[in-house]
Amino acid sequence: MLTFIVSLFFAAFTVIESRGIRDYSSFELLLIGAISFLGGGILECFIWSANIWFFVSIACFFFKKFFASSITGIIALLISGSFLFWNSVLVSESGREATIYSLEIGYFLWLASILFLIFSSIYLRVKK
């Protein structure tokens, strides 16, 4: 959880827009990602849904359902990891896309937090 919370203080990715280069903060994406489908960002909302799987995995972990935590964590990792293969992202409701210039530390900390949860769940499942 600490890694996830720390990731919220960093930029997740940088895009090249017509107005210049813009950083998207992880916290901003966490807050508005759920409603991105309203602006036509169906795929962006799909990537954001990895947070739901991550939170379900955390809940399972705290209730000592380590197998379920591992499975939901793997689903979250697969969804969030698929963003590595994106070239552009929707940046406005008008359908305008911007090229992804770079993935930043916030994104990689988000992935690391999911990985830590998966490994912890597997370790505690085996230990049990």
Side-chain angles (χ1 to χ4, degrees):
M1 280 297 295
L2 182 61
T3 308
F4 178 74
I5 292 168
V6 168
S7 76
L8 297 176
F9 292 98
F10 292 97
F13 59 89
T14 303
V15 297
I16 300 174
E17 291 190 63
S18 59
R19 295 179 228 151
I21 295 176
R22 178 171 184 234
D23 290 333
Y24 280 89
S25 75
S26 299
F27 187 68
E28 172 188 9
L29 294 171
L30 178 66
L31 293 179
I32 64 169
I35 61 169
S36 61
F37 71 91
L38 295 174
I42 301 299
L43 294 175
E44 287 79 1
C45 189
F46 173 70
I47 295 296
W48 182 88
S49 72
N51 288 316
I52 295 171
W53 290 104
F54 179 61
F55 294 138
V56 168
S57 184
I58 290 170
C60 291
F61 185 85
F62 283 119
F63 287 114
K64 299 185 181 190
K65 306 289 185 195
F66 301 122
F67 181 73
S69 178
S70 300
I71 297 301
T72 53
I74 289 169
I75 293 169
L77 184 65
L78 291 173
I79 293 171
S80 60
S82 69
F83 191 70
L84 287 167
F85 303 105
W86 284 34
N87 295 320
S88 62
V89 65
L90 189 69
V91 292
S92 74
E93 289 107 9
S94 67
R96 188 177 44 137
E97 291 191 347
T99 302
I100 297 172
Y101 181 68
S102 66
L103 299 173
E104 303 296 333
I105 189 75
Y107 173 73
F108 293 110
L109 286 171
W110 181 44
L111 288 179
S113 67
I114 297 169
L115 275 171
F116 288 150
L117 183 62
I118 293 168
F119 289 141
S120 298
S121 297
I122 291 171
Y123 171 76
L124 291 173
R125 169 79 176 161
V126 169
K127 187 178 175 186
K128 187 179 175 182

